[in-house]
Amino acid sequence: MEVELEAILIPLTFFFLVGFIIRQSRLRAEHETQRRFELGVRTLDRFSDPEALEKFLSGVAGQEFLRLLDQGEPPLQRRLLRSVQGGIALGALGLAFLVLAGVLEGYIDMVIPGMLLLCLGGSLLGGAFVAHKLAQRWELLGERSRGRRAGPYRDLPAS
């Protein structure tokens, strides 16, 4: 049984590309965390005396500053959105592979990667759906998840 070199290299290269993209997103997230830490250190170094630092940290702005520094991972809404985006992208790519295998002759080898990608995309979408429902039930998303509310730039209170 003779296997063509392209039948091995194309799927292997594709999955290496997916791994590379995932690795780059992880490195970007680590870089963002490092940048946020350095910004916090530089901001705290600007205070000349401990009384001014204590006054800043006890205020609303200081509490918001500490909350932003403490955020090591993105909020739940952003993680759910990334999961949905990844699921849609992988599912669409898998569907494209399956369409290629069905429409063009000689591309029957694309059925296996197409099904793998379609299943990965579906599992990401299903996982995001389950996580969203559980987060709503456990009230982790807060008030914003309970339907359409007024956004920060709509329905400003009249003064």
Side-chain angles (χ1 to χ4, degrees):
M1 180 172 150
E2 188 176 318
V3 177
E4 293 183 26
L5 186 59
E6 290 129 3
I8 295 171
L9 287 180
I10 291 173
L12 187 63
T13 305
F14 174 73
F15 287 114
F16 276 135
L17 177 66
V18 170
F20 177 75
I21 291 171
I22 291 171
R23 180 177 177 270
Q24 289 299 333
S25 68
R26 286 282 148 213
L27 287 176
R28 189 187 78 218
E30 289 175 9
H31 177 72
E32 181 67 28
T33 302
Q34 181 67 26
R35 191 174 63 84
R36 188 171 42 241
F37 175 74
E38 289 172 1
L39 175 69
V41 168
R42 280 187 274 145
T43 302
L44 292 176
D45 283 343
R46 289 186 178 189
F47 289 98
S48 58
D49 58 339
E51 291 83 25
L53 177 63
E54 182 180 354
K55 182 179 178 184
F56 171 72
L57 292 177
S58 64
V60 175
Q63 295 300 317
E64 181 68 18
F65 174 74
L66 289 176
R67 187 186 65 77
L68 287 175
L69 283 182
D70 193 36
Q71 268 183 331
E73 58 186 24
L76 184 59
Q77 293 93 341
R78 190 176 318 147
R79 288 186 300 182
L80 285 173
L81 181 63
R82 284 184 185 165
S83 182
V84 168
Q85 288 172 335
I88 289 172
L90 286 176
L93 196 57
L95 196 59
F97 274 116
L98 292 175
V99 167
L100 272 177
V103 172
L104 299 176
E105 289 183 30
Y107 285 92
I108 195 69
D109 294 338
M110 295 293 180
V111 170
I112 293 174
M115 284 303 296
L116 286 173
L117 288 170
L118 190 62
C119 289
L120 281 172
S123 65
L124 276 174
L125 288 173
F129 177 76
V130 169
H132 183 263
K133 288 300 176 188
L134 288 175
Q136 277 183 337
R137 179 169 288 168
W138 296 336
E139 298 177 358
L140 296 176
L141 293 175
E143 290 296 319
R144 293 173 47 181
S145 69
R146 301 204 186 272
R148 293 196 65 142
R149 302 268 186 216
Y153 302 110
R154 287 184 265 148
D155 300 320
L156 295 175
S159 39

